[in-house]
Amino acid sequence: MHRTILGIEGTAWNLSAGVVTEEGVLAEATATYRPKTGGIHPREAAQHHATHIASVIRKAIESAGCTQIDGIAFSQGPGMGPCLRTVATAARALALSLDVPLIGVNHCVAHLEIGRWQCGIDDPVMLYVSGANSQVLAYRQRRRCSISKRPTPQYRGGRYRIFGETLDIGIGNALDKFARHAGFSHPGGPKIESEALAATEYIPLPYVVKGMDFSFSGLMTAAKDALTKHSLADVCFSLQETAFAMLVEVTERAVAHTEKNDVLLAGGVGANTRLREMLELMCADRGAAFHVPEKRFMGDNGTMIAYTGLLMLASGESLPIEDSVVIPDFRPDQVDVTWR
Ligand code: AMP
Ligand code: MG
């Protein structure tokens, strides 16, 4: 029997619904909120999602041409509270009215699962770089503790461990804030990337890696200050070189520590050609393979939520409505990976 799952994503500016079965992706529909000025306003983004969610879901189901839905998966977090609540409300209502299981999916875990699926890889180190998130993740089996006197919890697979993460803002957020200061509209990442191509000089900026974690807010402020003395192109270039080197360093150390052979890139900032080039070089040096999913599966998409929901449901996971509260700071290492 093939299960068909509808997945709904709406943690930030992208509202998206995907329909998948074990066989593949049946359909996806999307509506993106674009702020007129400034960055993403959580209440306005949630209002956008509320306005479009019925039509996005209808479009996905109609294009999939399926007569039956066996489960409703939704992004339970991390994300902006108002956006998460809008999506969760729709997901609960649908699960109740269709009388099918509800599945709460961690957004970061979903990026990893769709990457494994689409790139045909088993066990990567993932660099996840988006607006709000910057993390280096990899799977770890849970070890049973032989010396603890406490009863061992029932063994249920492992978890995706966070090997390094941002101590303040996400890399995308840092790029967007700098770009707004420089007069670019949202999203700023692509504009910084094209501006950087005209650079002639690297300007030293704060390189902040602490242990396995990185921090971007000081770097972003220093880049803003540098605009008073240097050309926009040079600052864009130097900001990218510095921030991306920090990300690649931590990813490389996670690869060395875990001895995994694959590196997966995910998140909106993963569209950046220079970041890809730097990761490719690092992987070539280490003898690891570098993987980038198709563009539509790199950013936030409903398909990744549907697919992870499918894996979870097949391993017996579902969420009672009364436990389906959204978790704006949901960490991937809180999730028992019961499907591996
Ligand atoms: P997400 O949160 O995954 O939807 O990703 C959105 C973020 O990706 C925003 O901060 C964008 O500025 C950033 N972004 C998109 N394209 C690029 C690019 N080519 N280079 C750098 N950042 C980018
Ligand atoms: Mg994301």
Side-chain angles (χ1 to χ4, degrees), residues 13 129-132 172-173 175-176 187-190 193 244 267-269 271-272 299-300:
W13 62 329
V129 278
S130 71
N173 218 315
L175 295 174
D176 294 340
E193 177 170 22
F244 296 167
V269 183
N272 190 287
D300 296 346

Side-chain angles (χ1 to χ4, degrees), residues 141-259:
Q141 276 295 343
R142 183 186 285 181
R143 289 222 185 92
R144 270 183 256 218
C145 179
S146 52
I147 41 177
S148 162
K149 295 227 168 57
R150 275 187 279 160
T152 325
Q154 197 195 353
Y155 179 75
R156 300 194 78 192
R159 287 194 179 191
Y160 289 115
R161 295 287 170 196
I162 302 175
F163 284 83
E165 63 189 314
T166 181
L167 296 170
D168 41 48
I169 53 177
I171 172 68
N173 218 315
L175 295 174
D176 294 340
K177 284 184 173 173
F178 169 80
R180 271 207 301 283
H181 179 83
F184 296 129
S185 63
H186 187 88
K191 286 137 202 160
I192 293 175
E193 177 170 22
S194 56
E195 193 64 36
L197 297 174
T200 55
E201 191 194 353
Y202 174 78
I203 304 148
L205 291 171
Y207 183 98
V208 191
V209 174
K210 298 180 181 174
M212 284 289 280
D213 295 323
F214 23 73
S215 140
F216 297 109
S217 69
L219 168 61
M220 191 250 317
T221 307
K224 282 183 187 172
D225 291 347
L227 281 178
T228 57
K229 294 196 208 100
H230 302 274
S231 76
L232 179 59
D234 285 349
V235 179
C236 287
F237 170 74
S238 309
L239 174 58
Q240 283 200 153
E241 294 299 303
T242 310
F244 296 167
M246 288 157 53
L247 293 166
V248 175
E249 181 195 326
V250 173
T251 310
E252 176 167 22
R253 283 202 270 140
V255 173
H257 177 73
T258 59
E259 299 182 338

